[in-house]
Amino acid sequence: MDKVLVRELPIKSTIRQSDYFVAEDDDGTKLVQFKDMINLTKSNLYAQSVEDMKNTTYQEGDIVETLGYYEPNDGGAAKYLIVYAPTDLQDGVLIHYLKTSDTLRAHLMHDGNISVLQGGVRGNGVVDDTEALTKVLSLPYNITIPPKTYKVTSPISIKSDKVVNLNNATIINETSACIEIGYDEPVSNVCIKNGILKGTTGIEIHKNANNINIEDCIFKSSNLEDVAGIVVNGEGKIMISNCLFTDLDNYGIEIGPSGSDQSITKSNIVINHVNISAKNTCIRLSNVTGKRSVIISNSVLSGVGSTCI
């Protein structure tokens, strides 16, 4: 068939954003301005993973959507804005270097809510998630923790003014505590809830902790060397409520001294609606806790060979 030209068109040396081209879709034939096509393309750039995005060439202003953090459908999908920011440092969560540019960075786009899976946490119960979890949970945003299994090898440290909703996720630490609060700096106004914690200790509340709530959690032993479900050495108001401690080989809750000088004058601990099954002692009070105000109510304390307090 002979080629038929509707009309001769001049050849232009450049394409401008104000130019038009002919597009065909379900609505028929129409003229579309080139700048609209650019915007459409920018909003539909995809990468298989963060690493894939880092190895692809983009321009400033591009919006890239990853299908996962490590691989598609691993839960870490996110959108990133490509910005000119040569001084921004990569943190693996909010900022990523592009290997194709010395000056462009991929910034995570979010509305104040970030999933730990968008920060490189795997949640498969096999890979050590300690570093990634610590990094994401330290961010000043609302952090979502999907209900997966997270393996850690050292305690996750929680900062002040945090509500950590574990959403029925399981944290496993076979060598130490799953979570610690107030170990090396003052920490206050923390709530940890809806989690399953399996460690030598589930949660350690240290002497620098104040106004801590632990609620709706399940504590289990990770091995035969467990210390307790919760160890409380915190200074101020500590509340433990609606928690289940099951099949612990040592203590359910251990309450020790609050300060390094073991001087306790302002400590108030409330234990309410807990169910503890332990083979040693359900609630162990140290001999230096006389000045604490410890209130235990509406609770069930039991276990083979155990003593209540």
Side-chain angles (χ1 to χ4, degrees), residues 23-300:
E24 184 82 24
D25 62 12
D26 294 338
D27 296 331
T29 304
K30 57 189 175 183
L31 286 176
V32 179
Q33 201 163 26
F34 186 62
K35 66 179 181 180
D36 293 333
M37 185 61 186
I38 293 175
N39 293 332
L40 179 64
T41 301
K42 283 185 176 181
S43 64
N44 288 275
L45 295 175
Y46 291 92
Q48 297 291 302
S49 63
V50 169
E51 191 66 22
D52 183 27
M53 173 183 67
K54 293 166 64 174
N55 284 287
T56 305
T57 301
Y58 298 107
Q59 295 183 359
E60 182 181 3
D62 284 349
I63 296 175
V64 184
E65 184 170 353
T66 58
L67 303 181
Y69 192 95
Y70 295 103
E71 58 190 19
N73 303 316
D74 64 5
K79 285 187 176 181
Y80 298 86
L81 176 64
I82 307 302
V83 300
Y84 175 83
T87 61
D88 283 3
L89 300 179
Q90 176 173 260
D91 63 9
V93 184
L94 301 176
I95 302 170
H96 295 278
Y97 291 156
L98 297 182
K99 296 179 181 179
T100 56
S101 172
D102 292 331
T103 59
L104 296 180
R105 305 286 185 261
H107 282 203
L108 177 67
M109 300 176 67
H110 63 89
D111 59 359
N113 297 281
I114 299 174
S115 167
V116 294
L117 303 182
Q118 294 174 322
V121 178
R122 290 187 181 270
N124 59 13
V126 178
V127 176
D128 184 3
D129 281 324
T130 306
E131 182 178 353
L133 265 176
T134 301
K135 185 182 298 183
V136 180
L137 289 173
S138 68
L139 297 174
Y141 301 110
N142 180 36
I143 306 301
T144 301
I145 303 175
K148 298 167 74 74
T149 299
Y150 303 90
K151 176 184 176 181
V152 298
T153 53
S154 60
I156 301 300
S157 183
I158 306 298
K159 304 295 185 182
S160 292
D161 304 313
K162 283 282 188 181
V163 175
V164 181
N165 188 347
L166 293 169
N167 295 303
N168 296 315
T170 299
I171 298 180
I172 299 175
N173 190 343
E174 297 180 348
T175 58
S176 61
C178 296
I179 294 174
E180 67 179 13
I181 306 170
Y183 178 73
D184 54 4
E185 63 180 0
V187 174
S188 60
N189 306 320
V190 168
C191 177
I192 299 173
K193 60 183 181 179
N194 301 322
I196 302 169
L197 300 115
K198 300 175 64 176
T200 57
T201 304
I203 298 176
E204 292 182 355
I205 304 173
H206 293 282
K207 64 181 182 180
N208 294 311
N210 177 52
N211 195 23
I212 310 298
N213 285 359
I214 311 297
E215 56 189 58
D216 299 301
C217 288
I218 297 174
F219 296 87
K220 298 181 178 181
S221 174
S222 68
N223 53 45
L224 297 178
E225 302 297 327
D226 66 288
V227 176
I230 300 177
V231 172
V232 180
N233 293 318
E235 280 286 357
K237 180 181 177 182
I238 312 294
M239 176 171 284
I240 303 168
S241 61
N242 300 310
C243 291
L244 173 65
F245 301 76
T246 178
D247 298 325
L248 296 173
D249 291 292
N250 210 337
Y251 310 119
I253 300 173
E254 182 176 14
I255 301 174
S258 64
S260 58
D261 60 355
Q262 299 185 354
S263 175
I264 305 161
T265 59
K266 56 183 178 179
S267 188
N268 181 30
I269 299 171
V270 176
I271 300 171
N272 186 36
H273 283 288
V274 302
N275 189 324
I276 301 177
S277 174
K279 294 181 180 179
N280 193 330
T281 304
C282 293
I283 299 176
R284 179 176 185 263
L285 302 178
S286 167
N287 58 6
V288 294
T289 57
K291 295 182 181 180
R292 286 190 185 274
S293 171
V294 180
I295 300 173
I296 304 170
S297 62
N298 303 309
S299 297
V300 177

